[in-house]
């Protein structure tokens, strides 16, 4: 049984059919990526998973349980945590206060303390800036903070929406290395939505190609990287 699964999910914005019978699965321990052009429906897919955008039909399953009609905060409590596009940290709060917000639904103080030290181990720069307001951090540091805030919920599945957006290439490389570490060291399953298809497919186990709200292709990441159509359309080769 897949840890997370979408079965024939359709989502609408008014009369616009944004997602068209999407089906995909994420096994425990995997990194799975969803790639596609701007406007393909990648962010809508994440919003549908998280309960922020209501689906019209189909189902989102976590460990076989239908979570399609659960509230967003209930879905977080069940083990899904999202890093939104554009980071969306709390700019007036300090780094530490932002991280505390990530653990808002938890009551295991010792576990929260351990996880705080763990994310500071992943991102030492945040440890140095723990008392600094989030809005004064660089773009790369804010992305680190957004990822760390999501990790503080101790998710079973970490949902990442365009983590490379607007970042310098060297920072993008560092972020993707951290994503691999989170998966390997914390045993966190990752669902990665990313326009940088080359980087995403290099770290993923498998991938899905989304086009005009529908899944056009699904395969191992290795085979998608070698696929001529993918190389021309999404890798610029």
């Amino acid at each position: 049984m897949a840890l997370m699964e979408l079965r024939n999910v359709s989502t609408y914005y008014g009369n616009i059919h944004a997602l068209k019978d999407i089906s995909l699965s994420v096994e425990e321990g995997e990194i799975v990526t969803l790639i596609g052009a701007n406007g393909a429906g990648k962010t809508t897919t994440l919003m549908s998973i998280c309960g922020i955008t209501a689906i019209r039909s189909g189902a989102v399953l976590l460990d076989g349980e239908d979570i399609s009609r659960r509230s967003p905060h209930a879905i977080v409590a069940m083990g899904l945590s999202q890093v939104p596009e554009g980071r969306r940290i709390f700019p007036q709060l300090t780094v530490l206060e932002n991280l505390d917000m990530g653990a808002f639904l938890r009551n295991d103080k010792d576990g929260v303390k351990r996880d705080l030290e763990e994310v500071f181990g992943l991102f030492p720069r945040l440890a140095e800036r723990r008392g600094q307001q989030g809005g004064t951090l660089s773009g790369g540091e804010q992305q680190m903070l957004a990822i760390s805030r999501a990790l503080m919920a101790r998710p079973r599945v970490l949902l990442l929406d365009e983590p490379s957006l607007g970042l310098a290439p060297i920072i993008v490389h560092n972020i993707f290395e951290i994503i691999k570490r989170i998966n390997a060291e914390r045993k966190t399953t990752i669902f990665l939505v990313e326009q940088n298809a080359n980087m995403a497919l290099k770290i993923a186990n498998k991938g899905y190609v989304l086009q005009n709200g529908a899944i056009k292709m699904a395969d191992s990441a290795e085979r998608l990287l070698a696929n001529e159509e993918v190389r021309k359309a999404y890798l610029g080769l």
Side-chain angles (χ1 to χ4, degrees), residues 88-108:
R88 298 189 188 179
I89 61 163
F90 299 104
Q92 303 303 319
L93 300 184
T94 67
V95 166
L96 190 57
E97 288 167 340
N98 268 275
L99 296 175
D100 285 341
M101 291 299 292
F104 181 75
L105 294 175
R106 297 176 60 178
N107 53 23
D108 57 323

Side-chain angles (χ1 to χ4, degrees), residues 1 18 24 35 37 46 51 57 62 66 72-73 82 87-88 120 127 141 151 168-170 173 177 188 204 210 224-225:
M1 180 192 300
L24 59 82
I35 63 173
L46 286 185
S57 61
L62 181 64
D66 189 347
H73 73 270
Q82 182 181 357
R87 300 176 276 278
R88 298 189 188 179
F120 281 154
E141 290 166 346
L151 290 175
I170 185 65
H173 176 78
E177 286 299 313
T188 302
L210 190 66
L224 286 175
L225 269 173

